Each structure stands twice: as C-alpha cells, then as structure tokens.
Amino acid sequence: MYTSLFQRLVVVPCGRYQWGMPEPISEATRILGERIRIRRVKLACSQEEIAHLAGMNVSNFGKIERGLGNPNFHTLVRIASVLGIDPAVLV
C-alpha cells in the first residue's frame, strides 16, 4: 500500500508535488500511445509481450503507451514491426 501511494505522487515543473497520474508530454505523444495501445489490445497481447518482442524494457514501453515517453524513430519502427503495421499508421 505504501508503494502505491508513493507512486501516485508526481513532481510538477515548479518542484511542487501533486497527487495523480502524470500528464502526457504532448497531444502528439498521447495520440501515439493511444494508437499503440489500441493495436496491442486488438492483438490480445500484454505490454510485456510487445516490449520483449521489440527488444525494449516494459516500463519504457508503458511510458510510450501512456504518452509519457518520446520514442526515437528506431524504437517506433521496432514497435510498429512487432504490431504488424506501418509506422506511418502510428504517427
């Protein structure tokens, strides 16, 4: 219980703390993550499975899905390849 409460505490830009989930980096990263999640769910795969097949850490994959990560082009191509779609569909 202590860790779950601690995980919900996030730092905001002014160094203050706020309760809740962090906001996506931008609208573009939110949309990218949403498209990845939709395709992953259609394939009935877990985040762990997709991350493993893409050769990346599951926590980093989760950040990308939540719009908190900003993947480079190579990572985006690897994810799209595992999902069986063209990278252009994601962006």
Side-chain angles (χ1 to χ4, degrees), residues 38-88:
I38 288 168
R39 179 63 179 173
R40 177 181 61 80
V41 170
K42 280 184 182 177
L43 295 173
C45 292
S46 68
Q47 286 184 342
E48 187 175 3
E49 291 169 325
I50 300 296
H52 175 73
L53 292 171
M56 58 189 303
N57 185 293
V58 68
S59 65
N60 289 337
F61 180 79
K63 287 178 184 178
I64 293 169
E65 260 199 9
R66 291 188 307 276
L68 303 176
N70 190 14
N72 63 33
F73 181 73
H74 182 70
T75 301
L76 189 59
V77 169
R78 288 191 339 244
I79 292 170
S81 175
V82 169
L83 294 175
I85 56 177
D86 190 296

Side-chain angles (χ1 to χ4, degrees), residues 6-47:
F6 183 71
Q7 289 172 347
R8 300 184 90 201
L9 187 64
V10 294
V11 179
V12 292
C14 296
R16 298 178 312 211
Y17 294 94
Q18 141 186 335
W19 291 98
M21 296 297 293
E23 293 294 318
I25 295 172
S26 68
E27 184 65 10
T29 59
R30 185 195 65 75
I31 292 169
L32 172 67
E34 184 178 297
R35 290 175 180 170
I36 290 171
R37 182 179 303 112
I38 288 168
R39 179 63 179 173
R40 177 181 61 80
V41 170
K42 280 184 182 177
L43 295 173
C45 292
S46 68
Q47 286 184 342

